[in-house]
């Protein structure tokens, strides 16, 4: 009953806020600093002192002796059940004595509902996920709606503190522009998270009598051989990405020089630059244009939809692809998944194998608002999600629980080495293991540390990706420029945003035209000069300033 009343009151407030914003001529998705208005549902005064002093245990469990109730706002994706019914939250409550009233919002409505909640003042004690660095600036740095937890983390989050000590990028990445901390990270590192990859069909290499290529020239030779298998064959087919560089481009780019991708990069001296201005970019574009001209590249890669590309893949029309897990055993005459992961290539311009490391650091999780009177208890609760081992015997609660559910209930390891696991479900359930996890075991993400070498058993695609990554990907990974973790001073951000919007749009247009031949390679100097006229040097300078602050320089 309480939960229904809470949901009704929140809906009423959101509707009122929406009407108010509409009457003022604002977009429903716009946000502004809290006006201080609040509803009875999630309203409480900002905590002057912690409400947990007498009831709170700094170590051990339960976290609080007498049960407390807090509100949490979260996205609710299709297929996921009521979070109050998830075993993860039920078991966490039993262990900690912290009960949550959940405010689930459909993912497609999240941005609007979140902004309305913050604008109206009717926000929860905790945002589980879904905030971003602009929210951090507006509601943390500028207004204090988000609580600063910088000094609380070392005292109440020993598991996260250990993780941050071992991961400087994560430790720096959660710091806001004022040096304080308002949000927790989601950290992911598994054997199946490599990106910017190129997979290949082993059966087709055998059919054309070629070895696995190790250089870009050898790759061209293999692609030419695969082209002879049929007029409807696409030797290299990247997954479409019209908003940036596709995975094949990022993979191939590293073969032509020190820079890992055609984007912002940083050298060993800490100097930031924009790689499309370099000779490496020209060598790379020349190579891509040659592939396009010989039709060794799927020449629709910049225009087709993901659905169209997937149909070609399923129809056995692609030899080298960027999402090899889209192939199944049914695609092969042998009935086995004959897919390999290409190791980084070299070229006449660069003889070192390297590839950008998967960052695995995501921001915007576990945000505690000024409504929350129990920040210490809340942080101790969330710290369980960063623990390497279960925090109390026979609970199965540690870092994998938000993803798979408590160990022994939502999943179990299937060998002594803990390299494979199985999702669990009742024998009479008609749901798949994954569907059952989503419906009854775990939220799937959140302020947590998803780090494991285990892969799901009886899943050839994931096993292939894990084994191939260990052999051909992880040995060559190099950290890239942490662009998504940087923070900017307000005036720098306001200056950079319009400049970068225009520059990136121009870059994407020219990249596609260079590759397709619509723009001759002889115009490369004009391309660079135009980027400079558009203000790329100023953007780089702003990035440099933010990066220096990020590393504490």
């Amino acid at each position: 009953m309480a939960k229904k009343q809470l949901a009704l009151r929140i809906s009423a407030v959101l509707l009122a806020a929406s009407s108010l914003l509409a009457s003022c001529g604002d977009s429903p998705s716009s946000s502004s600093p809290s006006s201080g208005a609040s509803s009875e549902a999630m309203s409480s005064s900002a905590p002057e002192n912690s409400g947990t002093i007498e009831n709170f245990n700094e170590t051990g469990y339960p976290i609080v002796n007498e049960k407390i109730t807090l509100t949490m706002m979260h996205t609710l994706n299709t297929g996921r059940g009521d979070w109050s019914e998830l075993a993860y939250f039920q078991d966490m409550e039993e262990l900690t004595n912290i009960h949550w009233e959940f405010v689930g919002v459909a993912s497609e409505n999240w941005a609007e509902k979140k902004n309305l909640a913050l604008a109206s003042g009717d926000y929860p004690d905790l945002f589980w996920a879904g905030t971003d660095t602009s929210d951090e600036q507006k509601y943390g740095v500028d207004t204090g709606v988000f609580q600063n937890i910088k000094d609380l983390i070392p005292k109440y989050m020993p598991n996260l503190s250990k993780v941050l000590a071992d991961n400087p990028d994560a430790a720096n990445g959660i710091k806001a522009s004022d040096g304080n901390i308002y949000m927790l990270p989601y950290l992911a590192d598994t054997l199946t998270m490599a990106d910017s990859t190129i997979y290949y069909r082993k059966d087709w290499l055998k059919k054309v009598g070629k070895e696995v290529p190790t250089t870009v020239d050898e790759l061209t030779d293999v692609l030419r051989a695969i082209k002879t298998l049929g007029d409807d064959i696409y030797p290299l087919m990247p997954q479409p990405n019209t908003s940036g560089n596709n995975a094949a481009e990022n993979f191939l780019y590293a073969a032509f020089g020190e820079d890992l991708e055609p984007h912002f990069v940083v050298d060993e001296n800490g100097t930031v630059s924009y790689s499309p201005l370099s000779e490496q970019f020209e060598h790379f574009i020349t190579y891509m244009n040659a592939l396009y001209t010989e039709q060794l590249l799927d020449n629709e890669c910049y225009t087709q939809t993901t659905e169209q590309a997937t149909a070609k893949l399923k129809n056995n029309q692609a030899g080298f692809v960027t999402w090899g897990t889209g192939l199944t055993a049914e695609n092969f005459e042998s009935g086995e998944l004959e897919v390999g992961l290409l190791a980084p290539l070299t070229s006449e311009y660069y003889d070192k194998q390297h590839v950008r490391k998967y960052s695995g650091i995501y921001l915007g999780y576990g945000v505690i608002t000024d409504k929350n009177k129990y920040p210490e208890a809340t942080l101790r609760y969330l710290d369980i999600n960063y623990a390497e081992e279960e925090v109390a015997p026979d609970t199965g609660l540690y870092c994998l629980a938000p993803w798979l559910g408590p160990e022994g209930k939502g999943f179990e390891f299937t060998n002594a080495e803990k390299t494979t696991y199985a999702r669990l479900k009742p024998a009479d359930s008609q749901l798949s293991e994954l569907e059952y996890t989503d419906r009854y075991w775990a939220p799937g993400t959140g302020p947590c540390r998803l780090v494991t070498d285990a892969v799901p058993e009886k899943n050839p695609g994931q096993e292939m990706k894990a084994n191939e990554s260990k052999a051909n990907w992880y040995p060559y990974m190099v950290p890239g420029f942490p662009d998504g973790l940087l923070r900017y001073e307000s005036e720098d951000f306001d200056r950079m945003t319009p400049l970068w919007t225009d520059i990136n749009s121009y870059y994407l247009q020219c990249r596609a035209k260079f590759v397709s031949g619509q723009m001759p390679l002889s115009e490369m100097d004009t391309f660079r000069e135009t980027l400079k006229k558009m203000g790329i040097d100023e953007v780089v300078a702003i990035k440099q300033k933010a990066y220096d602050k990020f590393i504490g320089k």
Side-chain angles (χ1 to χ4, degrees), residues 1-16 39-42 101-104 113 122:
M1 180 65 68
K3 182 169 65 179
K4 290 183 179 179
Q5 291 175 343
L6 172 67
L8 289 172
R9 285 193 291 263
I10 292 171
S11 298
V13 171
L14 293 180
L15 180 60
S39 77
E40 182 182 351
M42 292 192 293
E101 290 288 349
F102 296 100
V103 182
K113 300 298 185 183
D122 188 54

Side-chain angles (χ1 to χ4, degrees), residues 364-402:
Y365 294 81
V367 172
I368 298 174
T369 72
D370 58 3
K371 300 287 183 70
N372 192 324
K373 295 182 178 181
Y374 308 94
E376 298 94 340
T378 304
L379 290 176
R380 280 209 63 209
Y381 181 101
L382 297 176
D383 193 50
I384 295 171
N385 298 340
Y386 298 95
E388 295 182 9
E389 301 176 347
E390 65 177 1
V391 296
D394 301 320
T395 62
L397 294 172
Y398 64 111
C399 66
L400 297 186

Side-chain angles (χ1 to χ4, degrees), residues 99-121:
H99 173 75
W100 293 100
E101 290 288 349
F102 296 100
V103 182
V105 178
S107 57
E108 61 269 22
N109 300 325
W110 173 257
E112 177 184 359
K113 300 298 185 183
K114 176 196 68 175
N115 290 338
L116 284 172
L118 287 167
S120 68

Side-chain angles (χ1 to χ4, degrees), residues 41-52:
M42 292 192 293
S43 175
S44 64
S45 60
E48 296 179 2
N49 296 298
S50 170
T52 66

Side-chain angles (χ1 to χ4, degrees), residues 20 109 133 278 280 284 308 337 379-380 382 389 441 499:
L20 176 60
N109 300 325
T133 54
S278 68
Q280 179 176 344
F284 160 75
Q308 290 171 323
L337 188 63
L379 290 176
R380 280 209 63 209
L382 297 176
E389 301 176 347
W441 291 147
L499 289 176

Side-chain angles (χ1 to χ4, degrees), residues 207-240:
K207 187 175 292 187
V208 298
K210 296 293 183 179
E211 299 293 326
V212 178
T214 60
T215 70
V216 291
D217 290 339
E218 290 176 3
L219 175 62
T220 301
D221 182 58
V222 172
L223 295 178
R224 286 171 178 160
I226 289 177
K227 184 65 178 176
T228 65
L229 296 179
D231 293 336
D232 62 343
I233 297 298
Y234 302 93
L236 172 60
M237 188 176 72
Q239 192 170 23

Side-chain angles (χ1 to χ4, degrees), residues 201 204 232-233 310-318 327 331:
R201 295 186 58 138
W204 284 13
D232 62 343
I233 297 298
T310 300
K312 294 176 183 177
L313 179 69
K314 298 292 187 182
N315 198 38
N316 295 319
Q317 293 179 263
L327 292 166
N331 289 103

